[in-house]
Structures are given as C-alpha cells and as structure tokens.
Amino acid sequence: MELKFATSNPHKVSEANQVGRKYGIEFVQLEQDYPEIRDEDVRMVARAGAAYVFNIIREPVIVEDTGLFIEGLGGFPGSYSAFVFNKIENQGILRLMQGAGDRKAEFISAIGYCDIDGVQIFDGAVRGSIGTEITGTAGFGYDSIFIPDGHEKTFGENPKLKAEVSHRMKAFDKFCKFIAECWD
Ligand code: ITT
C-alpha cells in the first residue's frame, strides 16, 4: 500500500521506508509545500501542516516535523531547526556551544497524518548529546553533530544505529502499526 508523504526532504522518505517496508507500506514523496506555523511544539507544526496539505489534495497524507532541542541552549533550535540549519549549519551550532557545560540534546519527530476524519499525531524521540566537532558524512542535517546516548559516534558516522534508535524510526514505527491496522 502507498501513502503520500509531503516533504521537500528525500532523506526523510527513505528513512520512513526503512520502517514502512516491514509493514508493507510504501511512502511516496509529494513535493507539496506547506507553511510551518510558529509553535515551539513540533507536534503542533505537524498537525497544522497535515491539515493544510489534506485540504489541497483531498486524500490521506502525512507530513513530519523534526526539532533538535539542545538543553544548554534552552531548547534552541527546537521547532525552528530548519530555519537555523539553513542560516548557520552545524558550524554555527558548535560556535554557539563553545564553553557550554551542558551538551545534552534531544531529537523529537512528529508525524501528522490527515484523512477525512481529521489529524492524528505520532511522535518519537531520541536523547543524546552534541559533539565538539563535525564528524561523519552519512545522513543529513544535524546528524554529524548528534551522538545518541550510550554511544560514542554521531548518527553521521553510524547510519545503521540511526536506523535502529532514531526519533524518526520510533515515530514511524508507531504510525505504521496504526495504519497497518486501519488497512486490515
Ligand atoms: P520538510 O519540512 O520539507 O519535511 P526539512 O528537512 O525542512 O523537510 P524539518 O523541518 O522537519 O525538515 O527539519 C528541521 C531541520 O532539522 C532541518 O534542517 C533538517 O535537516 C534537520 N533534521 C530533520 N531530521 C533530521 C535528522 O533525522 N537528523 C538530522 N537532522 C535532521
């Protein structure tokens, strides 16, 4: 079964399909833009985005919003992660963190699924810390500075680990369980 995934980011679609495959679900990228509302909660951003896209295409669709919440920076960049990455990238985050004692961070991913019955949200999170340098070339975005708890390498150095423990994998696992039952 296929389901449209409205995103500009093909990496997200291929990570989603790593999970979808186990459930017989194929996510197909839909390059339909949507406004990201200003809200500190990625779940609210995903909720508004899914409703917006559904109102245009009138068929079941998901969007997914992710934020990197860095404790030593008061939760920054959080739901503004895309804007911040476009402006200052990983170099800029490392500069902001120079001398920071607390490098703990969390990735939170929220999937918004919308169909004729409205929007439902499925989330996933992974805790870790921000490294002191950019390492690894796999993945995208903040992967080369994020080290998941219990490990020493970044997601950028260890994509296999990302496929097992990431925020996105957890959120998609919840979502796929739900949708596979709906389609049963
Ligand atoms: P869409 O909104 O079009 O889906 P995007 O890449 O802009 O694609 P987000 O707004 O959810 O997606 O992402 C916020 C930022 O966080 C953005 O700069 C991403 O590159 C980054 N990001 C998202 N998921 C990530 C992940 O799994 N690992 C590392 N960085 C990630």
Side-chain angles (χ1 to χ4, degrees):
M1 295 282 273
E2 282 188 6
L3 183 64
K4 292 201 166 75
F5 183 176
T7 176
S8 62
N9 187 335
H11 296 283
K12 285 186 175 182
V13 183
S14 72
E15 290 187 9
N17 277 320
Q18 289 173 8
V19 182
R21 220 166 279 134
K22 298 183 206 150
Y23 294 86
I25 299 163
E26 186 186 352
F27 296 99
V28 179
Q29 183 172 8
L30 172 69
E31 294 210 42
Q32 169 64 57
D33 213 7
Y34 60 90
E36 288 196 2
I37 63 160
R38 281 198 192 173
D39 194 292
E40 289 191 15
D41 188 345
V42 290
R43 297 164 194 85
M44 297 304 287
V45 179
R47 178 174 290 282
Y52 181 95
V53 178
F54 179 79
N55 280 331
I56 293 171
I57 68 166
R58 292 275 153 199
E59 57 177 292
V61 66
I62 59 164
V63 306
E64 189 246 66
D65 196 57
T66 288
L68 175 65
F69 296 78
I70 302 174
E71 285 186 20
L73 300 179
F76 182 85
S79 62
Y80 303 104
S81 291
F83 175 79
V84 170
F85 190 84
N86 287 338
K87 296 287 179 198
I88 64 172
E89 301 188 0
N90 287 326
Q91 288 290 7
I93 296 288
L94 294 185
R95 260 197 311 274
L96 287 176
M97 295 205 64
Q98 268 168 15
D102 184 0
R103 304 189 77 87
K104 287 198 285 296
E106 185 175 31
F107 264 125
I108 304 179
S109 159
I111 298 167
Y113 167 69
C114 191
D115 63 14
I116 196 73
D117 297 324
V119 182
Q120 295 186 67
I121 299 294
F122 303 82
D123 58 10
V126 60
R127 299 192 65 83
S129 59
I130 302 299
T132 51
E133 54 184 19
I134 297 173
T135 46
T137 52
F140 64 98
Y142 300 103
D143 278 342
S144 55
I145 58 168
F146 183 84
I147 304 168
D149 277 353
H151 300 273
E152 278 166 17
K153 291 189 169 168
T154 64
F155 275 160
E157 293 173 285
N158 195 346
K160 198 161 160 276
L161 180 66
K162 186 179 186 193
E164 286 162 15
V165 305
S166 83
H167 48 302
R168 181 161 300 104
M169 294 305 148
K170 290 174 187 160
F172 272 93
D173 207 57
K174 283 186 197 167
F175 174 68
C176 289
K177 281 199 176 91
F178 159 81
I179 203 76
E181 268 184 28
C182 294
W183 286 343
D184 226 8

